[in-house]
Amino acid sequence: MKKLLLSLVALLCVTVGKANIVDSFAQSASWTPSLPTAEKGGADLSGVFTSEATGIEYTFADCKSYTDYLMVNKSTGYFTFALPEGTKTITVTTGSGASTAVTVNVTVGTEEVATAYQLNKQGADFSFEVPAALQNSKPTCKIAVANNKNAQFQSITFVTEGDGETPVDPDPVDPDPVDPVDPEITKVASIQALLDATKDLANQAKTEELELDFAMTVTYAHDRNTYVTDGKNNLLIYGSLGVEGLENGKVIPAGLKGKMTVYNGLPELTDVVAESIGTLTDGTAVEPVLTTVDDFNGEGISAYIMLEGVDVTGVDGKNFSIVSGETTVAGYNTFGVSVAEGTNLTIVGIVSYFNAYQISPISITTASGKETVAAPTFNPNGGTVFAGTRVNIYSTTEGASIYYTTDGTEPTSASTLYETAIAINEAMTIKAIAVKEGCEDSEVAEATFAIKAPADATFVFANPASLTPAYPADMTDESLEEDSNKNGVNGYFANISDVEFTDGGITVTNAKGSSTDARLYYQTGGKIQLRVYNGGSTTISAKAGLLISKIVITYNNGSTSYNKVVAPEEGAWAFDKDASEGTWTAAEGEAGVKSVTFDYTGTQQINAIEVYTEEGSGVDSIGVDSENAAPIYYNLQGVRVDNPANGLYIMKQGTKASKVIVR
């Protein structure tokens, strides 16, 4: 009984010092209204819901509710809520099947407390500090997905200050001490001891908190990755340390506290206790260890190395190969340096591990000692496009200039300087190089474009200047329209619900979703698209004298939102995933229809809509007249008859049509 009472007292002391308020997304019935459920997959979740556990009101946009977690859809999904008074820390717990590559933006009030923050573990806690000035003002918090991945959240915890009351001893007859005793923290004497502590850990499991009883020297620091050495072994400290001046040669003093984990084979020190980070001191700069691709072994993980005389091949996004003689090791561009194919190169980098050894380069130089500028990339990257499509060109090398040609010749620094997007109005091949003083010029990159044959009506939302009504080709802070808004996640947008876009005899109108207007969405990186949200729709209508026979909807590359389209029954809907195109065709044997409406159960990301038409019959060509208009007669084949004889006819009067017998 004595031991139990001591435990209760300790618990009371902890609770008073730090109170947690928790909302679980897995308890669908504990919300008003209840979170929706579905027999298969998740149920679309948009609108306002109140947690019965905390009374906090949440607004969800482009989310899904699953039985044991909330999914926030990639790029467009988010949810908002008002923080309880006194909240110091927000902690989100990810789902067990969450993408480890998802990044989020977290905004409290008007302050961004996390930008493109990577939730790199499944079933883990990620905490965000609330600015001190906002902790008692109950500000609105927004958590939004920042990249093209889906986020899974099991719960959200609000850590607040307690009420400060002194806990009461539950056994006053035999008083016990109420001050809790801190548990002993295991101290380790070297990086090798830390590595030994991880040998039996399952992937993403963690040790208890450890204290590093030794100093470490920084070899390289980038974003949330800090690599250190104790002179014998090397270690990755993962997570923001919140200190300035982390660079090669700086010494982190003994006393650092954290937990060890293994992430897909890579040992890491995580969950570093901020208060345990001492003052950095100057030490001796660490030189990279000259090695070869044959020397990699378990003790070399996180080592700071140099490879000489190697080749780089097979560059594909962040992945590439490093070749030395008969040996090849994988490379991964973790730190966003310029990587281009080449021979006889020197690579300075970090030995990493992701289910296999790989090298993350810090710099890549030629035999001359110069870095090679990253080859340009195109968006879109060639193919058949609509006339007027704008092509953006990029280089990941900061400060590089891009030069290009469109006549088939090889570009040089004397070619046209790329300054703004290139409009494609005819078939062409764009060739480009990137140049930077003090560096080797990039390889030539090229993209070939063909012009798509025009439909009877074409609406290229990716080129809003071509629309009627037209919208700006880009948006910045200086060019925002009254109906435009800044979006801190990806860029800017213009609300276009109920705007009638016209081309010839065709009109396209987009309706607002359950909680969000249809938008022209201007993403960073130059992409523009139409977005219509859950509960919204797109209606394509033909003027008098025309019938719609086919509609082709071109989606954002790689989009799978076509499976959230409810197409009308009078016709057929098919999707070509490789082309990212959905096609609706009129019912077999039918000439076409006057209007087609697509309803959406999830966000649509649309680049363009093409409409194909046929001439309608005389009946279809009648416009809307007054109901008092004189009747007009047509035979059953749709041919107008001015003086009908006895027989069966179709009579059109104003907006009404009916079959009549003339006697």
Side-chain angles (χ1 to χ4, degrees):
M1 182 65 180
K2 174 91 169 179
K3 185 177 294 185
L4 175 60
L5 291 175
L6 277 170
S7 299
L8 288 172
V9 171
L11 180 58
L12 284 170
C13 292
V14 172
T15 303
V16 169
K18 194 176 187 182
N20 293 346
I21 304 174
V22 182
D23 279 330
S24 172
F25 300 116
Q27 299 172 359
S28 58
S30 298
W31 294 75
T32 304
S34 296
L35 298 182
T37 58
E39 292 183 4
K40 294 183 178 180
D44 289 316
L45 177 61
S46 291
V48 179
F49 294 77
T50 301
S51 166
E52 295 179 1
T54 63
I56 297 174
E57 185 178 270
Y58 290 76
T59 299
F60 300 100
D62 203 13
C63 299
K64 276 194 171 185
S65 177
Y66 284 76
T67 56
D68 55 354
Y69 62 86
L70 164 74
M71 186 175 81
V72 184
N73 289 337
K74 48 191 169 186
S75 299
T76 59
Y78 64 88
F79 62 100
T80 62
F81 48 88
L83 289 177
E85 187 172 1
T87 299
K88 291 186 172 294
T89 304
I90 309 162
T91 299
V92 294
T93 302
T94 57
S96 59
S99 168
T100 57
V102 68
T103 58
V104 296
N105 294 333
V106 180
T107 305
V108 177
T110 59
E111 293 193 31
E112 292 187 358
V113 299
T115 302
Y117 182 94
Q118 184 175 350
L119 305 180
N120 66 309
K121 292 181 175 60
Q122 299 169 330
D125 292 338
F126 296 87
S127 296
F128 305 97
E129 299 296 325
V130 177
L134 300 175
Q135 290 174 4
N136 294 310
S137 62
K138 298 182 180 180
T140 297
C141 178
K142 178 179 180 180
I143 298 179
V145 173
N147 62 352
N148 200 33
K149 301 290 182 181
N150 293 324
Q152 290 184 11
F153 298 122
Q154 292 179 333
S155 64
I156 183 165
T157 302
F158 307 98
V159 180
T160 64
E161 287 296 319
D163 57 18
E165 295 180 358
T166 303
V168 178
D169 188 345
D171 186 6
V173 177
D174 183 15
D176 299 316
V178 295
D179 292 333
V181 178
D182 290 335
E184 289 291 332
I185 297 178
T186 302
K187 294 186 178 182
V188 291
S190 66
I191 289 179
Q192 184 60 57
L194 291 172
L195 298 176
D196 291 341
T198 67
K199 288 182 177 179
D200 296 324
L201 286 181
N203 187 39
Q204 299 191 43
K206 296 182 180 180
T207 64
E208 295 297 321
E209 189 172 287
L210 305 171
E211 181 177 338
L212 281 58
D213 199 22
F214 59 94
M216 299 172 293
T217 302
V218 176
T219 56
Y220 181 65
H222 179 274
D223 194 21
R224 298 173 60 81
N225 301 281
T226 303
Y227 297 90
V228 295
T229 180
D230 62 0
K232 294 183 178 180
N233 293 286
N234 307 278
L235 180 68
L236 166 60
I237 303 175
Y238 186 79
S240 176
L241 298 184
V243 296
E244 297 182 357
L246 281 171
E247 58 187 26
N248 187 295
K250 289 292 185 180
V251 176
I252 301 175
L256 193 68
K257 298 177 183 178
K259 298 179 181 180
M260 284 298 294
T261 187
V262 177
Y263 180 62
N264 292 303
L266 176 63
E268 302 174 346
L269 181 71
T270 64
D271 300 339
V272 172
V273 178
E275 294 78 8
S276 70
I277 303 173
T279 302
L280 301 183
T281 58
D282 293 328
T284 303
V286 180
E287 296 296 328
V289 177
L290 183 61
T291 186
T292 70
V293 295
D294 296 317
D295 290 339
F296 299 141
N297 55 60
E299 295 181 353
I301 292 180
S302 297
Y304 179 49
I305 66 163
M306 175 187 291
L307 301 170
E308 292 184 334
V310 297
D311 301 337
V312 168
T313 63
V315 178
D316 181 13
K318 290 188 175 183
N319 296 287
F320 61 98
S321 296
I322 301 172
V323 181
S324 177
E326 301 297 322
T327 305
T328 299
V329 67
Y332 188 77
N333 194 1
T334 304
F335 310 125
V337 302
S338 301
V339 178
E341 295 192 5
T343 59
N344 195 23
L345 303 174
T346 297
I347 298 178
V348 174
I350 299 292
V351 179
S352 187
Y353 198 94
F354 189 86
N355 298 320
Y357 288 107
Q358 58 187 26
I359 303 298
S360 294
I362 296 170
S363 67
I364 302 178
T365 58
T366 63
S368 64
K370 297 181 179 179
E371 293 190 34
T372 300
V373 180
T377 56
F378 303 89
N379 178 29
N381 190 28
T384 301
V385 299
F386 293 100
T389 295
R390 299 163 69 249
V391 178
N392 293 277
I393 313 178
Y394 309 92
S395 173
T396 57
T397 300
E398 185 176 354
S401 299
I402 298 172
Y403 298 88
Y404 71 95
T405 64
T406 59
D407 59 3
T409 60
E410 295 300 298
T412 67
S413 57
S415 301
T416 303
L417 174 66
Y418 173 78
E419 296 179 296
T420 187
I422 303 168
I424 307 296
N425 291 305
E426 60 183 0
M428 70 170 59
T429 296
I430 303 175
K431 295 185 177 183
I433 61 168
V435 175
K436 182 178 181 180
E437 185 176 356
C439 298
E440 299 282 355
D441 293 351
S442 77
E443 294 185 340
V444 174
E446 66 178 67
T448 299
F449 299 89
I451 300 298
K452 192 167 189 175
D456 297 311
T458 302
F459 303 83
V460 185
F461 295 99
N463 181 20
S466 69
L467 299 170
T468 303
Y471 281 75
D474 55 35
M475 279 194 178
T476 63
D477 281 322
E478 292 75 26
S479 67
L480 289 179
E481 303 289 334
E482 288 184 1
D483 61 349
S484 304
N485 303 271
K486 182 174 182 179
N487 183 331
V489 179
N490 284 339
Y492 301 89
F493 59 85
N495 291 327
I496 57 167
S497 295
D498 302 323
V499 173
E500 293 186 354
F501 294 97
T502 61
D503 183 10
I506 300 298
T507 298
V508 172
T509 308
N510 301 284
K512 180 179 180 178
S514 56
S515 61
T516 308
D517 276 300
R519 296 169 173 174
L520 274 178
Y521 209 95
Y522 295 71
Q523 291 179 287
T524 53
K527 288 185 179 180
I528 308 171
Q529 59 195 223
L530 164 67
R531 291 193 180 183
V532 189
Y533 297 85
N534 175 45
S537 63
T538 298
T539 298
I540 298 99
S541 303
K543 73 173 185 179
L546 294 177
L547 294 174
I548 300 171
S549 59
K550 184 171 75 170
I551 299 169
V552 179
I553 301 178
T554 304
Y555 287 81
N556 189 29
N557 288 344
S559 173
T560 58
S561 55
Y562 65 91
N563 59 14
K564 300 175 182 177
V565 175
V566 181
E569 294 182 359
E570 63 274 18
W573 171 253
F575 191 82
D576 181 344
K577 191 170 183 179
D578 292 334
S580 288
E581 287 184 348
T583 301
W584 175 91
T585 51
E588 187 175 354
E590 297 291 331
V593 298
K594 296 294 295 179
S595 180
V596 178
T597 296
F598 299 98
D599 295 309
Y600 305 132
T601 62
T603 300
Q604 305 297 296
Q605 299 181 19
I606 296 172
N607 288 343
I609 297 176
E610 302 167 85
V611 184
Y612 297 83
T613 62
E614 295 182 7
E615 292 293 330
S617 65
V619 173
D620 295 313
S621 66
I622 296 178
V624 177
D625 299 319
S626 166
E627 291 186 1
N628 296 320
I632 303 174
Y633 296 91
Y634 300 85
N635 63 24
L636 299 183
Q637 287 71 45
V639 178
R640 180 169 175 165
V641 179
D642 292 328
N643 298 298
N646 294 344
L648 181 63
Y649 294 88
I650 298 173
M651 182 183 74
K652 184 83 171 182
Q653 186 174 25
T655 60
K656 298 180 179 180
S658 59
K659 288 185 179 180
V660 297
I661 298 176
V662 176
R663 299 183 185 277

